[in-house]
mmCIF file of all heavy atoms in Angstrom:
data_model
loop_
_atom_site.group_PDB
_atom_site.id
_atom_site.type_symbol
_atom_site.label_atom_id
_atom_site.label_comp_id
_atom_site.label_asym_id
_atom_site.label_seq_id
_atom_site.Cartn_x
_atom_site.Cartn_y
_atom_site.Cartn_z
ATOM 1 N N GLN N 104 77.791 155.263 134.709
ATOM 2 C CA GLN N 104 78.629 155.253 135.872
ATOM 3 C C GLN N 104 77.928 154.449 136.952
ATOM 4 O O GLN N 104 76.755 154.729 137.294
ATOM 5 C CB GLN N 104 78.925 156.637 136.338
ATOM 6 C CG GLN N 104 79.903 156.759 137.474
ATOM 7 C CD GLN N 104 81.333 156.279 137.182
ATOM 8 O OE1 GLN N 104 81.703 156.332 135.998
ATOM 9 N NE2 GLN N 104 82.104 155.974 138.202
ATOM 10 N N GLU N 105 78.600 153.433 137.565
ATOM 11 C CA GLU N 105 77.962 152.609 138.501
ATOM 12 C C GLU N 105 78.877 152.101 139.589
ATOM 13 O O GLU N 105 80.107 152.100 139.450
ATOM 14 C CB GLU N 105 77.242 151.430 137.837
ATOM 15 C CG GLU N 105 78.145 150.535 137.066
ATOM 16 C CD GLU N 105 77.350 149.432 136.364
ATOM 17 O OE1 GLU N 105 76.200 149.109 136.776
ATOM 18 O OE2 GLU N 105 77.911 148.831 135.403
ATOM 19 N N ARG N 106 78.247 151.656 140.723
ATOM 20 C CA ARG N 106 78.950 151.057 141.806
ATOM 21 C C ARG N 106 78.342 149.679 142.058
ATOM 22 O O ARG N 106 77.119 149.557 142.238
ATOM 23 C CB ARG N 106 78.831 151.934 143.057
ATOM 24 C CG ARG N 106 79.440 151.307 144.320
ATOM 25 C CD ARG N 106 79.226 152.232 145.501
ATOM 26 N NE ARG N 106 77.798 152.404 145.803
ATOM 27 C CZ ARG N 106 77.066 151.545 146.493
ATOM 28 N NH1 ARG N 106 77.572 150.455 147.019
ATOM 29 N NH2 ARG N 106 75.768 151.849 146.686
ATOM 30 N N LYS N 107 79.155 148.680 142.113
ATOM 31 C CA LYS N 107 78.633 147.283 142.358
ATOM 32 C C LYS N 107 79.768 146.448 142.940
ATOM 33 O O LYS N 107 80.990 146.597 142.543
ATOM 34 C CB LYS N 107 78.044 146.644 141.156
ATOM 35 C CG LYS N 107 78.947 146.542 139.999
ATOM 36 C CD LYS N 107 78.217 145.921 138.782
ATOM 37 C CE LYS N 107 79.109 145.843 137.542
ATOM 38 N NZ LYS N 107 78.362 145.294 136.387
ATOM 39 N N PHE N 108 79.414 145.508 143.818
ATOM 40 C CA PHE N 108 80.412 144.595 144.415
ATOM 41 C C PHE N 108 81.562 145.384 145.028
ATOM 42 O O PHE N 108 82.727 144.914 144.996
ATOM 43 C CB PHE N 108 80.912 143.564 143.354
ATOM 44 C CG PHE N 108 79.871 142.707 142.833
ATOM 45 C CD1 PHE N 108 79.625 142.706 141.488
ATOM 46 C CD2 PHE N 108 79.085 141.899 143.649
ATOM 47 C CE1 PHE N 108 78.631 141.914 140.895
ATOM 48 C CE2 PHE N 108 78.100 141.066 143.113
ATOM 49 C CZ PHE N 108 77.868 141.099 141.744
ATOM 50 N N GLY N 109 81.287 146.594 145.605
ATOM 51 C CA GLY N 109 82.331 147.343 146.255
ATOM 52 C C GLY N 109 83.297 148.076 145.342
ATOM 53 O O GLY N 109 84.252 148.667 145.797
ATOM 54 N N SER N 110 83.003 148.025 144.044
ATOM 55 C CA SER N 110 83.839 148.710 143.081
ATOM 56 C C SER N 110 83.084 149.785 142.290
ATOM 57 O O SER N 110 81.859 149.721 142.231
ATOM 58 C CB SER N 110 84.418 147.677 142.058
ATOM 59 O OG SER N 110 85.190 146.663 142.725
ATOM 60 N N THR N 111 83.827 150.682 141.731
ATOM 61 C CA THR N 111 83.195 151.777 140.900
ATOM 62 C C THR N 111 83.806 151.754 139.507
ATOM 63 O O THR N 111 85.054 151.612 139.349
ATOM 64 C CB THR N 111 83.413 153.144 141.572
ATOM 65 O OG1 THR N 111 82.855 153.133 142.860
ATOM 66 C CG2 THR N 111 82.788 154.258 140.706
ATOM 67 N N GLY N 112 82.961 151.897 138.537
ATOM 68 C CA GLY N 112 83.422 151.869 137.188
ATOM 69 C C GLY N 112 82.305 152.410 136.207
ATOM 70 O O GLY N 112 81.301 152.887 136.683
ATOM 71 N N GLY N 113 82.565 152.278 134.924
ATOM 72 C CA GLY N 113 81.581 152.810 133.990
ATOM 73 C C GLY N 113 81.931 152.520 132.575
ATOM 74 O O GLY N 113 82.978 151.908 132.292
ATOM 75 N N LEU N 114 81.023 152.903 131.635
ATOM 76 C CA LEU N 114 81.140 152.606 130.254
ATOM 77 C C LEU N 114 80.801 153.823 129.424
ATOM 78 O O LEU N 114 79.916 154.620 129.793
ATOM 79 C CB LEU N 114 80.268 151.432 129.855
ATOM 80 C CG LEU N 114 80.485 150.139 130.557
ATOM 81 C CD1 LEU N 114 79.351 149.129 130.197
ATOM 82 C CD2 LEU N 114 81.763 149.492 130.088
ATOM 83 N N LEU N 115 81.434 153.956 128.270
ATOM 84 C CA LEU N 115 81.088 154.951 127.279
ATOM 85 C C LEU N 115 80.788 154.181 125.985
ATOM 86 O O LEU N 115 81.677 153.425 125.482
ATOM 87 C CB LEU N 115 82.185 155.984 127.075
ATOM 88 C CG LEU N 115 81.955 157.079 126.029
ATOM 89 C CD1 LEU N 115 80.701 157.906 126.421
ATOM 90 C CD2 LEU N 115 83.172 157.949 125.885
ATOM 91 N N VAL N 116 79.615 154.342 125.422
ATOM 92 C CA VAL N 116 79.178 153.528 124.282
ATOM 93 C C VAL N 116 78.711 154.434 123.094
ATOM 94 O O VAL N 116 77.971 155.388 123.316
ATOM 95 C CB VAL N 116 77.973 152.609 124.656
ATOM 96 C CG1 VAL N 116 77.647 151.656 123.519
ATOM 97 C CG2 VAL N 116 78.322 151.807 125.915
ATOM 98 N N GLY N 117 79.169 154.085 121.927
ATOM 99 C CA GLY N 117 78.720 154.818 120.727
ATOM 100 C C GLY N 117 78.356 153.821 119.614
ATOM 101 O O GLY N 117 79.015 152.792 119.456
#
Side-chain angles (χ1 to χ4, degrees):
Q104 182 68 20
E105 59 183 341
R106 176 183 59 85
K107 59 182 178 182
F108 299 119
S110 300
T111 300
L114 300 170
L115 180 63
V116 185

